[in-house]
């Protein structure tokens, strides 16, 4: 969610929502400003995400947080993340299929072996990859091992641990374990808006997820207020051990709507909202 530019985040370093993908989740089906400074005057310019991890055959654009911590970097995106190969894609609509009712390590699992099941998996994987659980080593390893194929997970763990270094986390205001300072709330959440199955077969699928991400630190002393970003996350999925798993993934910027005139919330309002409103699991 992710970030500052581009989140791709869900929630809390296993502290806010709990588990890897967050507790208090609600199942849903995807259907077919103020001018003053925020949080004491901190306001930054934005830049797009930078791909930080490349592993043999696997190119990964880490969630927006990486861009959030390295604003000012070059614009780049991984291969395979752009437009749709299916120009005639119909609007996302309720399918009547039952949502998944099982989970592994707090992450939805057991998706239908169908195109709609692949879309549901991609949306849920975007949520967990955009969560604050990605900023803690142990929970990140659990997430990656759960939603990627075993081969892809093995290739990604080392480079991801290097990317989520103590120095990187400190730039986000987090300690070495991904925890925010006392009295502050680290926000990292991905909110899917729609999905697009670009390619599908019984053994593989390519699904893009258009999402809004939230990223930042909510607190009276924060100099990085929570901001929103818009991205498209594309997943190459494989039917593996009776479920959809990620082989590779990539992100591109937008499409972003014109910002509205909503008043920016105060720090305590954001913290309260994050604590009170759980994330969603998605079914198509």
């Amino acid at each position: 969610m992710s970030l500052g530019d581009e989140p791709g985040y869900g929630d809390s370093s296993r502290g806010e929502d709990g588990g890897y993908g967050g507790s208090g989740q609600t199942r849903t089906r995807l259907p077919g400003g103020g001018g003053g400074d925020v949080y004491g005057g901190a306001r930054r310019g934005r830049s797009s995400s930078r791909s930080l991890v490349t592993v043999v055959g696997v190119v990964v654009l880490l969630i927006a947080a990486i861009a959030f911590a390295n604003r000012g970097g070059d614009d780049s995106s991984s291969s395979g993340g752009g437009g749709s190969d299916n120009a005639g894609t119909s609007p996302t609509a309720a399918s009547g299929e039952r949502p998944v009712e099982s989970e592994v390590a707090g992450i939805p699992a057991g998706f239908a072996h169908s195109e709609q099941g692949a879309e549901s998996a991609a949306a849920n994987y975007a949520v967990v990859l955009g969560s604050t659980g990605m900023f803690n080593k142990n929970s990140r390893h659990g997430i990656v091992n759960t939603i990627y194929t075993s081969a892809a997970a093995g290739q990604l763990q080392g480079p991801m641990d290097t990317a989520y270094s103590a120095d990187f986390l400190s730039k986000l205001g987090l300690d070495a374990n991904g925890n925010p300072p006392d009295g502050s709330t680290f926000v990292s959440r991905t909110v899917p808006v729609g999905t697009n199955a670009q390619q599908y077969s019984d053994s593989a699928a390519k699904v893009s997820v258009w999402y809004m991400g939230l990223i930042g630190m909510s607190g009276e002393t924060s100099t990085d207020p929570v901001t929103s970003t818009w991205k498209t996350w594309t997943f190459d999925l494989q039917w593996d051990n009776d479920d959809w798993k990620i082989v590779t993934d990539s992100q591109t910027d937008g499409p972003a709507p014109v910002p509205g005139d909503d008043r920016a919330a105060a720090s305590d309002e954001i913290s309260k909202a994050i604590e009170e409103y759980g994330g969603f699991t998605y079914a198509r």
Side-chain angles (χ1 to χ4, degrees):
M1 172 150 122
S2 110
L3 308 29
D5 234 328
E6 16 259 20
Y9 308 73
D11 252 296
S12 195
S13 105
R14 303 192 57 182
E16 295 168 38
D17 292 339
Y20 297 144
S23 65
Q25 293 183 327
T26 305
R27 178 178 292 112
T28 189
R29 291 180 180 276
L30 292 178
D37 283 345
V38 183
Y39 304 178
R43 204 181 285 278
R44 288 186 173 183
R46 298 188 176 185
S47 66
S48 52
S49 315
R50 166 186 281 170
S51 175
L52 296 185
V53 179
T54 301
V55 188
V56 186
V58 181
V59 180
V60 174
L61 179 61
L62 290 181
I63 54 185
I66 290 179
F68 180 78
N70 298 284
R71 298 185 186 190
D74 296 329
D75 239 332
S76 81
S77 59
S78 311
S79 60
S84 167
D85 294 329
N86 184 357
T89 299
S90 60
T92 303
S95 66
E97 289 189 8
R98 290 180 61 82
V100 295
E101 302 204 5
S102 59
E103 60 179 37
V104 175
I107 302 171
F111 297 98
H113 191 185
S114 65
E115 182 174 315
Q116 293 174 0
E119 291 185 66
S120 182
N124 282 285
Y125 294 163
V127 169
V128 72
L129 284 171
S131 73
T132 54
M134 289 295 289
F135 297 84
N136 172 274
K137 183 176 180 179
N138 291 332
S139 61
R140 180 173 62 253
H141 281 201
I143 289 170
V144 173
N145 285 333
T146 299
I147 67 177
Y148 284 85
T149 64
S150 57
Q155 293 175 314
L156 289 173
Q157 295 289 19
M160 277 194 172
D161 287 345
T162 298
Y164 285 95
S165 64
D167 179 61
F168 167 68
L169 294 175
S170 69
K171 293 178 181 178
L172 296 171
L174 304 172
D175 65 19
N177 293 316
N179 299 312
D182 290 341
S184 295
T185 301
F186 179 57
V187 180
S188 176
R189 187 173 291 194
T190 301
V191 185
V193 175
T195 59
N196 174 14
Q198 299 181 10
Q199 299 173 9
Y200 178 79
S201 70
D202 285 344
S203 60
K206 173 177 283 191
V207 179
S208 289
V209 180
W210 179 35
Y211 73 89
M212 182 190 74
L214 301 175
I215 182 68
M217 188 73 72
S218 178
E220 291 184 3
T221 60
S222 172
T223 57
D224 289 313
V226 179
T227 56
S228 62
T229 186
W230 291 85
K231 293 279 181 182
T232 299
W233 209 330
T234 299
F235 297 92
D236 286 302
L237 304 172
Q238 177 178 307
W239 186 251
D240 181 54
N241 290 325
D242 295 323
D243 211 348
W244 292 108
K245 301 289 183 180
I246 303 171
V247 179
T248 62
D249 58 292
S250 61
Q251 292 191 59
T252 55
D253 294 333
V258 176
D261 295 326
D262 300 312
R263 176 187 65 84
S267 174
D268 59 345
E269 292 180 277
I270 293 293
S271 296
K272 186 170 185 267
I274 290 298
E275 292 169 0
E276 293 183 346
Y277 294 90
F280 289 91
T281 55
Y282 292 81
R284 192 178 185 292

